Amino acid sequence: MKRILILGAGGQIGSELVPHLRGIYGNDNVIATDVNADKCKHLDGSGPFEPLNALDGEAFSAIVKRYRVDAIFNLVALLSAAGERDPRLAWNVNIGALTNSLYIGKDNGCAVFTPSSIGAFGNDTPKDKTPQDTLQRSNTTIYGVCKVAGELLGDYYYHRFGVDTRSVRFPGLISHVAMPGGGTTDYAVDIFYAAVRDGAFTCNVAAGTYMDMMYMPDALDAVVRLMEADPARLKHRNSFNIAAMSFDPEALAAAIRRHLPAFRLSYDVDPVKQAIADSWPNSMDDTCAREEWDWAPRYDLPAMTAEMLDRIREKLAR
Ligand code: AKB
């Protein structure tokens, strides 16, 4: 990868992936784009930015040609809970941005990275140590339907046109830079802000609900490692299970209490989010990612919790 275009640079992943990639590939070689320029203010001056609606294929294609892009990272998505509020919009945005990335990638010789998710699994998927290749037909969310379709589309463009498409199934991502929005796993970020600010949190997902989660530095590392992996080693492409930690709200609260012993957790369960969470795996088996491109997370629950609390304390103090 020499010239990378990021779609959705102002989102939860993009806000950290853009500076991370600029640190590796050089500021001028990472072109940030977002439909909402205001969300990218924090990137000001650090490298090129173009306002872009990824659904506008002509404008998208013109930017790819102008910057001679050779890798497109499509981070545009309406997340799981937000998708249920407007399924038609979720399909149009999630599949529209991916379709444009794939055909523009094909026409311009670009590799394409697009994240899939634990949301690609559904009610009849095996819940524990969910295998890499398994049942994905029982999906109950439009977000998940888009993710399954996206995985199939990515593999189709690889087999049919030779586009170098690669993807990971991200767990819930935990970060202290940009907030997630509209996801089912958002509680695992919100809880840290509430713990530092109020010493208490009301969780919208029930005790005993286990989901895979990952700290953002590991997610950024996964993207770079996968995109730099030797293609001859890849037996899979779209998408790899990757896992780092699996916990329920009680286990997360217990980890927070090691730093803030008085922290209180209560529940006000959101039935839409709970049904989504119940349909997702408790934990994924990521053996294929470990074997095919040396995936190895660095953060477990205690290490992530300690760092999140420190960073959020600093951030709120500022
Ligand atoms: C969501 O909760 O919708 C996302 C995801 C797991 O893909 N964070």
Side-chain angles (χ1 to χ4, degrees):
M1 293 187 296
K2 294 191 190 67
R3 286 241 150 154
I4 302 167
L5 183 82
I6 310 284
L7 305 175
Q12 190 200 12
I13 303 175
S15 295
E16 292 187 61
L17 187 60
V18 170
H20 185 71
L21 294 176
R22 284 183 174 163
I24 299 172
Y25 299 100
N27 286 355
D28 291 343
N29 293 325
V30 180
I31 299 98
T33 75
D34 201 288
V35 68
N36 183 349
D38 286 345
K39 283 172 70 188
C40 295
K41 286 252 183 287
H42 62 289
L43 301 171
D44 268 1
S46 73
F49 172 80
E50 297 282 345
L52 175 66
N53 178 349
L55 304 185
D56 179 345
E58 257 179 56
F60 182 170
S61 176
I63 291 174
V64 166
K65 287 186 198 316
R66 180 156 16 110
Y67 285 93
R68 297 190 314 281
V69 165
D70 62 14
I72 297 169
F73 286 34
N74 166 38
L75 307 178
V76 172
L78 247 70
L79 297 185
S80 54
E84 293 313 294
R85 292 197 283 274
D86 193 341
R88 182 165 171 264
L89 179 70
W91 174 266
N92 288 344
V93 169
N94 294 359
I95 293 298
L98 176 60
T99 309
N100 283 354
S101 301
L102 290 169
Y103 89 77
I104 291 168
K106 166 177 95 53
D107 290 350
N108 293 277
C110 305
V112 177
F113 172 82
T114 198
S116 186
S117 155
I118 50 174
F121 297 117
N123 280 321
D124 7 305
T125 305
K127 289 267 174 247
D128 296 305
K129 289 279 162 204
T130 302
Q132 171 67 41
D133 301 307
T134 187
L135 297 173
Q136 293 182 272
R137 289 301 295 264
S138 52
N139 218 292
T140 53
T141 64
I142 190 67
Y143 178 69
V145 169
C146 293
K147 290 302 185 195
V148 176
E151 292 186 6
L152 291 171
L153 267 178
D155 276 345
Y156 171 78
Y157 268 74
Y158 170 65
H159 291 298
R160 175 86 168 80
F161 302 113
V163 180
D164 186 358
T165 56
R166 305 182 188 193
S167 170
V168 293
R169 293 179 181 134
F170 274 137
L173 295 181
I174 298 175
S175 64
H176 52 81
V177 175
M179 299 300 283
T184 303
T185 57
D186 292 5
Y187 89 84
V189 176
D190 298 338
I191 194 171
F192 285 102
Y193 285 87
V196 172
R197 224 175 355 223
D198 313 321
F201 180 65
T202 304
C203 188
N204 52 26
V205 169
T209 309
Y210 280 81
M211 287 185 275
D212 273 309
M213 302 279 179
M214 183 176 293
Y215 192 37
M216 189 61 86
D218 279 331
L220 304 180
D221 180 52
V223 175
V224 174
R225 264 190 211 225
L226 173 60
M227 293 309 283
E228 292 291 356
D230 175 357
R233 288 180 63 197
L234 300 183
K235 297 192 191 86
H236 298 84
R237 280 178 170 269
N238 303 281
S239 301
F240 283 93
N241 285 0
I242 53 169
M245 59 189 98
S246 166
F247 55 74
D248 83 324
E250 291 292 322
L252 180 52
I256 291 173
R257 273 188 208 110
R258 284 190 202 111
H259 304 265
L260 299 169
F263 175 64
R264 284 169 289 115
L265 179 63
S266 57
Y267 292 92
D268 180 10
V269 171
D270 172 338
V272 174
K273 290 195 176 186
Q274 188 60 44
I276 296 173
D278 287 341
S279 76
W280 288 353
N282 297 333
S283 65
M284 287 185 288
D285 178 349
D286 60 3
T287 309
C288 292
R290 289 173 186 267
E291 287 178 357
E292 292 175 39
W293 48 277
D294 306 320
W295 159 243
R298 286 179 298 134
Y299 286 86
D300 59 9
L301 176 57
M304 179 271 292
T305 303
E307 200 167 300
M308 277 293 282
L309 289 172
D310 281 352
R311 296 286 171 278
I312 288 170
R313 268 194 210 105
E314 288 163 14
K315 188 172 171 178
L316 295 183
R318 280 200 301 272

